[in-house]
Amino acid sequence: MRRKQQKERVEDMEEHSGSTRRKDPERVTLKKEIGLLSACTIIIGNIIGSGIFISPKGVLEHSGSVGFALVIWVLGGCIATLGSLCYAELGVTIPKSGGDYSYVTEIFGGLMGFLLLWSAVIIMYPTTLAVIALTFSSYILQPVFPNCVPPYMATRMLSAICVLLLTWVNCSSVRMATRIQDIFTVGKLMALGLIIVVGLIQVFHGNYEALTPHVAFAMDRIPSVGQIALAFLQASFAFSGWNFLNYVTEEVVNPRRNLPRAIYISIPLVTIVYTLTNIAYFSSMSPEELLSSNAVAVTFGEKLLGTFSVVMPISVALSTFGGINGYLFTSSRLCFSGAREGHLPSLLAMIHYKNRTPIPALLVCCTATIVILCIGETHNLINYVSFINYLSYGVTIAGLLHYRWRKPNLYRPIKVSLVVPVCYLMFWALLLGFSLHSEPVVCGVGLVIMLTGVPVYFLGVHWKEKPRFIYSFIERATYVGQRLCFVVFPQIDTTDLPNPLEWTDRSSGKSRLSSSS
């Protein structure tokens, strides 16, 4: 009986994948279910994950003073705002999911795009997911182990269970995943709101000595330029995720309007929340206490909330739970976009024939994250991720300038001033240069990870005349994966494509659509 039901499901899937047995088959496309509210929660939910509960320690350690640490947090938000403005232009000019990867591939070609894709799939997003999952498990287990660090194996197992659960949710339903994102984004804002309110009460009661200018900017040592760069890298980890809505552009309702609006609402809000949260930390904790704490928010709660301090680790755990969901949702779409361009196995470009979710891509993200969980150490992982993140941001925004020069008459619904990308790139060059000088090993490892994609690209993508047995193996593996996951290639919904007259570069007479296909 079970075998008969499975056969019927496979036949149904074949009908959806383009079989001619039905005259008018149901279209299998990615669902457009991300409105303005969900778009804002995707940005806010991906930015506010574990960073604000991990990075304050690293920012303070490298900056050398409370005042300078707060300046770095504000500047970090300003830099993220400049970058997001550039991404808003790219997102509506090149209206494809995949974010940095899609834009760089379109502008600079396959090799450069593949290197971004390779570093993101291999290290960047699995590592970020692993760090957020480890933060989740550490805060969940903190009340159970109040006087010591939670056991290594316990944190890893709980992190893996959380990632597996949310992978299942994302495989089951796009709507369920976005609803979880909406709910937990509100939850994490409430958690940070609690910290901010309690901290501001302390300030109003006169407990702000550490925030007065002569104390806040007092330094036992003057930080080097390299240390300042590392402080910015730590802060940038907390702000990472500001570009993630660009990874799901094709699932956004009316992206020309909602993509920039979501960016303009979300980034300033997060910057204000982060700055006020750090002020709250410093209103009740000395720099020495913050640097010695393994869980900053828990230490804060123990000092100020008394018997209600258990609320803090639970709130942080809920915040990071939503962050894991958001990263899984968006990073799986990166794998999906890479496979659709032919840079990853075609199986990853398929979606479930009923749920319309990219199950193979989600499974790859889940597996890579669990591998990183078993081998990674949090502090070094953050430095690797921050360096590769900034490298990819800079290449993408340089691509915006190159695209302006190459196709000056291309229709752009949003066109930012050239001052914005130029200022961002100047800061980017200084930050990466001083980071390389200060931490050559960490940055060198990041570059090596990215460059290992060069031989992979030429062997796997550029080399077209492979032996026949390799193609036979790939076809067989794709067939097996398709049957196991019940996935098919999505069809392009032509009603969502832009007007060809609008997307024409008048200087060359070439259609934007034809160049991207």
Side-chain angles (χ1 to χ4, degrees):
M1 182 67 180
R2 291 178 62 188
R3 190 172 293 181
K4 181 180 178 182
Q5 291 175 343
Q6 186 176 17
K7 183 179 179 182
E8 290 175 352
R9 292 176 68 187
V10 170
E11 289 175 350
D12 190 15
M13 181 180 66
E14 288 174 345
E15 290 178 354
H16 282 78
S17 65
S19 173
T20 57
R21 281 180 287 179
R22 293 174 62 186
K23 291 183 179 180
D24 185 24
E26 180 185 348
R27 303 185 66 84
V28 182
T29 59
L30 289 168
K31 289 184 177 180
K32 283 185 172 289
E33 294 190 345
I34 303 175
L36 179 59
L37 175 61
S38 292
C40 291
T41 59
I42 285 175
I43 296 176
I44 296 171
N46 276 294
I47 296 178
I48 303 176
S50 63
I52 188 58
F53 307 111
I54 295 177
S55 295
K57 181 176 179 179
V59 173
L60 179 61
E61 181 180 1
H62 291 298
S63 62
S65 72
V66 170
F68 200 38
L70 291 174
V71 170
I72 286 175
W73 281 105
V74 175
L75 288 179
C78 294
I79 297 301
T81 301
L82 291 179
S84 63
L85 290 173
C86 298
Y87 273 66
E89 176 179 325
L90 287 167
V92 295
T93 304
I94 305 174
K96 298 195 298 185
S97 294
D100 313 60
Y101 161 71
S102 292
Y103 309 147
V104 170
T105 302
E106 172 74 20
I107 297 168
F108 292 123
L111 175 59
M112 189 68 75
F114 180 82
L115 292 180
L116 288 188
L117 176 69
W118 174 258
S119 58
V121 171
I122 294 297
I123 186 69
M124 193 156 58
Y125 295 130
T127 294
T128 304
L129 270 166
V131 170
I132 299 174
L134 287 172
T135 307
F136 165 80
S137 58
S138 295
Y139 275 89
I140 282 285
L141 294 173
Q142 192 69 36
V144 183
F145 301 93
N147 300 318
C148 63
V149 177
Y152 177 91
M153 189 57 67
T155 56
R156 261 59 185 181
M157 288 183 65
L158 185 56
S159 299
I161 290 171
C162 176
V163 172
L164 288 169
L165 173 62
L166 287 172
T167 300
W168 173 80
V169 169
N170 278 268
C171 288
S172 300
S173 169
V174 173
R175 183 177 294 274
M176 191 189 307
T178 55
R179 290 297 173 268
I180 286 177
Q181 193 67 16
D182 295 348
I183 293 168
F184 281 90
T185 296
V186 173
K188 67 181 64 180
L189 286 174
M190 290 177 65
L192 291 175
L194 175 63
I195 293 174
I196 291 169
V197 169
V198 173
L200 290 179
I201 290 173
Q202 290 292 105
V203 171
F204 291 144
H205 287 170
N207 298 323
Y208 54 83
E209 182 179 354
L211 297 170
T212 55
H214 69 280
V215 176
F217 288 95
M219 297 184 183
D220 295 331
R221 58 172 178 81
I222 297 177
S224 65
V225 178
Q227 289 295 315
I228 295 172
L230 290 176
F232 267 107
L233 282 181
Q234 289 285 327
S236 74
F237 176 78
F239 279 101
S240 62
W242 53 262
N243 61 325
F244 267 29
L245 186 61
N246 294 68
Y247 284 88
V248 294
T249 302
E250 294 173 32
E251 296 171 74
V252 177
V253 177
N254 196 351
R256 289 195 200 176
R257 183 188 66 185
N258 289 332
L259 177 66
R261 284 185 179 181
I263 290 171
Y264 300 151
I265 293 170
S266 304
I267 307 297
L269 176 62
V270 171
T271 304
I272 293 169
V273 168
Y274 274 9
T275 305
L276 291 176
T277 301
N278 277 275
I279 289 173
Y281 286 152
F282 292 125
S283 70
S284 57
M285 300 170 65
S286 67
E288 293 74 22
E289 286 178 311
L290 193 146
L291 290 173
S292 63
S293 174
N294 291 318
V296 177
V298 170
T299 305
F300 177 88
E302 289 173 349
K303 288 197 66 174
L304 297 182
L305 298 180
T307 56
F308 296 99
S309 61
V310 70
V311 172
M312 196 54 62
I314 294 174
S315 299
V316 175
L318 294 176
S319 169
T320 51
F321 187 82
I324 296 167
N325 179 73
Y327 262 82
L328 272 173
F329 184 85
T330 49
S331 60
S332 63
R333 270 58 178 182
L334 176 62
C335 290
F336 175 85
S337 299
R340 191 172 58 181
E341 293 287 341
H343 288 166
L344 290 176
S346 60
L347 180 64
L348 301 183
M350 298 184 186
I351 60 176
H352 191 271
Y353 77 108
K354 282 188 177 178
N355 298 336
R356 304 185 190 181
T357 53
I359 291 178
L362 283 162
L363 293 178
V364 166
C365 294
C366 175
T367 303
T369 301
I370 291 175
V371 170
I372 295 290
L373 278 172
C374 299
I375 62 175
E377 192 277 319
T378 305
H379 181 73
N380 287 333
L381 290 179
I382 290 175
N383 286 335
Y384 292 143
V385 168
S386 298
F387 178 79
I388 296 175
N389 253 335
Y390 254 101
L391 192 60
S392 63
Y393 294 159
V395 171
T396 305
I397 293 175
L400 182 147
L401 295 176
H402 181 71
Y403 211 49
R404 287 268 193 100
W405 171 76
R406 200 178 84 192
K407 295 189 175 183
N409 298 318
L410 187 69
Y411 175 69
R412 292 173 170 85
I414 296 175
K415 192 172 183 178
V416 299
S417 169
L418 283 176
V419 174
V420 175
V422 168
C423 288
Y424 185 94
L425 287 175
M426 289 175 60
F427 174 82
W428 171 83
L430 288 172
L431 180 64
L432 289 190
F434 287 121
S435 299
L436 275 167
H437 175 74
S438 181
E439 287 284 350
V441 174
V442 171
C443 298
V445 170
L447 284 174
V448 169
I449 290 170
M450 182 173 284
L451 292 177
T452 55
V454 174
V456 177
Y457 174 80
F458 282 104
L459 290 174
V461 180
H462 186 72
W463 182 25
K464 302 298 183 183
E465 302 299 326
K466 298 182 182 69
R468 187 178 183 84
F469 75 90
I470 295 180
Y471 287 114
S472 298
F473 173 78
I474 294 173
E475 289 174 5
R476 184 63 184 172
T478 302
Y479 176 83
V480 172
Q482 190 174 4
R483 290 304 183 261
L484 288 174
C485 298
F486 293 96
V487 290
V488 296
F489 281 112
Q491 299 175 18
I492 297 175
D493 191 348
T494 55
T495 61
D496 292 325
L497 293 175
N499 186 344
L501 295 177
E502 292 182 350
W503 299 86
T504 299
D505 183 1
R506 299 176 184 85
S507 63
S508 62
K510 292 181 180 179
S511 170
R512 165 70 184 78
L513 294 175
S514 63
S515 65
S516 65
S517 60

